[in-house]
Amino acid sequence: MRGVTERALSFGAVAAAYERFRPGYPGELFDLVAGYAGRPLRRGLEIGAGTGKATRLFAERGVAVTATEPDAAMLAELRKHVDVRTVRAAFEELPAGERYDLVYAAAALHWTVPEGRWERVAGLLEPGGVFASFGGPFLLTDPEVERAVATARAPFLDRDDVPSPDGTPPENAMQWPGTELLESAWFTDVQQHRIERRFVMSASDYVGHLATISAYLELPAEVREQAFERILRALPERVEVNADIMAHLARRRAGRDG
């Protein structure tokens, strides 16, 4: 399996599918972040903006977003849908100097390099500024359907999710990246919230969503199509998915230098 950085650059080939099959984010999420901030969010930096699903949420509510993304095709798709400042760069390549009220990542933080991550985030925030990370997998709600899909997928992939970057067990009350934020000297007031979402979609749309997941994008094209055909045959005509959003919030310590 390829490294994290290489996998993060695998989405450009399916930028249009990503835009079509990945859902946007609800206003409830913005309200959560803004309420936590407790002050106006005027300038925001987005890490790994993709096609701009979360970019739109914040930009349409008055935040001057700088959307950063290493993949040119993803940025090109983003520019079709939202007019914001864009920077083609990985998080680790962003220049120091500018500071923001908000730094956030939507289903993208796990692609960043762990070493020095929180010092880099803190360096982009005003003292007292807010960091937010949010996202979550699509989970089939029917256990029998999930078992059928797992059986169909097994010849090609053992699993298609992204394991917790720091190995936190799923039963733990605090999940990553909250676990790391709690340990970071740069941040305080760490919170974890869940926003419930359920979708009902066609089997073909569900497979379309799978086509935007990095585990499948790593497979050779012919093998990937075989996997999708088997999974599609295992699915009922329509499926329900749990697409809950897990959000983590933290505040940059005002007393820290840097």
Side-chain angles (χ1 to χ4, degrees):
M1 185 174 286
R2 294 183 297 169
V4 168
T5 302
E6 292 173 299
R7 291 184 71 188
L9 292 171
S10 66
F11 297 103
V14 292
Y18 197 103
E19 174 60 28
R20 177 181 174 186
F21 294 112
R22 293 275 182 127
Y25 291 93
E28 183 181 354
L29 176 60
F30 176 83
D31 294 342
L32 174 68
V33 176
Y36 172 88
R39 67 186 194 183
L41 295 173
R42 297 186 175 90
R43 301 178 68 240
L45 178 84
E46 182 172 6
I47 300 168
T51 66
K53 295 290 187 176
T55 318
R56 279 162 267 190
L57 176 71
F58 289 92
E60 290 169 0
R61 288 162 175 79
V63 181
V65 175
T66 296
T68 71
E69 165 61 46
D71 192 286
M74 297 290 269
L75 270 185
E77 186 67 35
L78 179 150
R79 294 186 188 112
K80 296 177 185 177
H81 305 283
V82 61
D83 183 16
V84 297
R85 177 190 177 198
T86 57
V87 176
R88 184 186 174 189
F91 172 59
E92 295 75 22
E93 299 168 338
L94 296 177
E98 284 194 81
R99 292 200 172 182
Y100 301 83
D101 305 304
L102 170 70
V103 172
Y104 68 96
L109 189 68
H110 54 283
W111 299 126
T112 62
V113 175
E115 292 75 18
R117 176 191 286 134
W118 300 117
E119 184 173 356
R120 283 193 293 271
V121 172
L124 293 164
L125 280 169
E126 297 285 356
V130 171
F131 171 72
S133 176
F134 44 87
F138 264 39
L139 302 173
L140 292 162
T141 60
D142 187 323
E144 290 187 10
V145 175
E146 171 56 38
R147 283 192 290 271
V149 168
T151 299
R153 184 185 64 230
F156 312 98
L157 287 171
D158 290 334
R159 57 190 299 172
D160 60 8
D161 61 340
V162 177
S164 173
D166 68 350
T168 300
E171 63 271 15
N172 273 32
M174 178 62 76
Q175 289 293 301
W176 185 90
T179 47
E180 290 186 4
L181 286 163
L182 286 171
E183 297 295 324
S184 172
W186 291 95
F187 290 92
T188 187
D189 192 18
V190 179
Q191 295 184 15
Q192 177 177 279
H193 300 267
R194 181 184 296 274
I195 297 174
E196 292 187 358
R197 291 193 304 180
R198 298 291 186 277
F199 296 116
V200 176
M201 62 181 61
S202 68
S204 59
D205 280 358
Y206 176 76
V207 172
H209 181 271
L210 294 183
T212 70
I213 293 175
S214 63
Y216 294 98
L217 294 174
E218 290 189 285
L219 297 173
E222 182 178 343
V223 175
R224 184 165 62 242
E225 290 308 312
Q226 291 176 8
F228 291 153
E229 288 175 8
R230 290 200 186 187
I231 292 170
L232 189 59
R233 289 199 298 267
L235 290 168
E237 186 175 331
R238 299 187 69 78
V239 297
E240 181 184 60
V241 296
N242 173 332
D244 288 357
I245 299 168
M246 184 72 80
H248 289 92
L249 305 170
R251 202 178 310 277
R252 188 196 191 277
R253 289 187 185 275
R256 292 284 300 191
D257 295 327

